[in-house]
Amino acid sequence: MNPIDWFALLHPVLVILFVYPVVGATIRLGILARERRLKIHPQPPTVGVEHADHGRWVTGGMVVAVLVALIYSFTNKYISPEPPFTGGIQRLALLLLVSAGTFASLLSLWWVKSTTLRASFALLTWAGLLGLGSQPEIWRLSDNPFEGSFWASHYWSGVLLTGLMLFSMSAKPEIFRSLKMRRLHVSVNILVAVLLAVQAITGSRDLLEIPVSWQRPAIYSCDFGKRICPAPASSSSAADGLGARIS
């Protein structure tokens, strides 16, 4: 495997080794915080704070993992000879600059306190991911929400998942203070749990479709619509030789 092939593994590795384990801990702490609030079982007063802190780490890890996947897609297309990367090094540098700005917005969201700034940086982070993901180098099954393939797209379910996580992170003080916001937070995170399952399924599916660098010429010569590939040259030569001997 070449370095770019190892780079392709960084996104799923981050999600598997960091995001999903912390998601489990976050859900467990959320259940304990609810039990403490409803006085179902005695729990330490720190469970609510720990739940919120874990939620921030999950959101940050998810955004970083998405950025890694997007940067891999851009750099991989840039170094691949076919098809050519439009815009050259200038456009690649601009995309990397937008990626850095998106990460900076995420860091700012961690530290700002006012409601306006939290909402602004959450939207900026999500807008950065949407802008980067809308580039032609990013694989999307469909951009039409009225098609079934749109809902089976790893990209679009990931974008929705990340947006919901950013909302919960930015609304943390309001969730602590308001019963309505807590109920909305629970509803949102039920959808988040469903989307995490969808991401695991579609991500595993897409990994099967990504060839390593030395396999790409053979894989991309296939007809994906008809699901057929040309016979290897060695096989054709062997078949011709066998036919000649038989005749």
Side-chain angles (χ1 to χ4, degrees):
M1 290 176 63
N2 293 334
I4 192 67
D5 299 322
W6 288 107
F7 189 22
L9 292 179
L10 185 56
H11 168 74
V13 166
L14 282 173
V15 173
I16 293 170
L17 292 184
F18 181 78
V19 174
Y20 277 92
V22 180
V23 164
T26 305
I27 293 173
R28 176 58 178 163
L29 287 167
I31 294 172
L32 294 179
R34 183 176 182 274
E35 290 179 351
R36 180 180 183 275
R37 186 170 61 252
L38 299 178
K39 299 181 180 179
I40 297 175
H41 297 294
Q43 301 292 343
T46 58
V47 292
V49 176
E50 291 177 357
H51 170 66
D53 288 343
H54 278 68
R56 291 202 306 171
W57 281 104
V58 167
T59 303
M62 182 61 74
V63 172
V64 169
V66 172
L67 285 174
V68 166
L70 294 172
I71 293 172
Y72 160 75
S73 298
F74 298 139
T75 54
N76 179 49
K77 293 292 185 180
Y78 179 76
I79 65 176
S80 298
E82 294 292 339
F85 183 87
T86 58
I89 189 63
Q90 293 84 1
R91 179 167 172 265
L92 178 63
L94 178 61
L95 292 171
L96 295 178
L97 183 62
V98 174
S99 301
T102 303
F103 181 68
S105 296
L106 173 68
L107 293 180
S108 300
L109 177 59
W110 271 58
W111 301 110
V112 295
K113 302 298 182 182
S114 73
T115 303
T116 302
L117 288 177
R118 281 186 279 110
S120 298
F121 281 116
L123 286 173
L124 278 174
T125 304
W126 198 41
L129 296 178
L130 285 171
L132 292 167
S134 66
Q135 303 303 309
E137 291 79 16
I138 304 304
W139 172 251
R140 303 184 299 275
L141 292 179
S142 172
D143 290 333
N144 185 357
F146 296 103
E147 295 180 355
S149 55
F150 175 89
W151 302 101
S153 174
H154 186 71
Y155 167 76
W156 284 115
S157 59
V159 164
L160 177 57
L161 171 64
T162 308
L164 294 174
M165 286 182 164
L166 287 167
F167 162 75
S168 294
M169 180 176 172
S170 64
K172 182 184 74 171
E174 289 75 19
I175 292 170
F176 277 142
R177 292 193 297 261
S178 169
L179 177 60
K180 290 182 179 180
M181 288 297 294
R182 283 198 295 272
R183 289 173 175 170
L184 177 61
H185 175 62
V186 171
S187 301
V188 163
N189 282 280
I190 291 173
L191 179 56
V192 164
V194 173
L195 289 173
L196 283 168
V198 171
Q199 285 293 97
I201 296 169
T202 57
S204 301
R205 176 204 64 197
D206 288 357
L207 280 176
L208 294 174
E209 299 178 355
I210 301 175
V212 294
S213 55
W214 62 270
Q215 295 174 339
R216 287 174 195 152
I219 296 297
Y220 292 153
S221 66
C222 299
D223 188 326
F224 291 92
K226 297 180 180 179
R227 298 186 179 183
I228 57 174
C229 294
S234 58
S235 298
S236 300
S237 301
D240 293 341
L242 179 61
R245 287 196 299 271
I246 293 175
S247 61

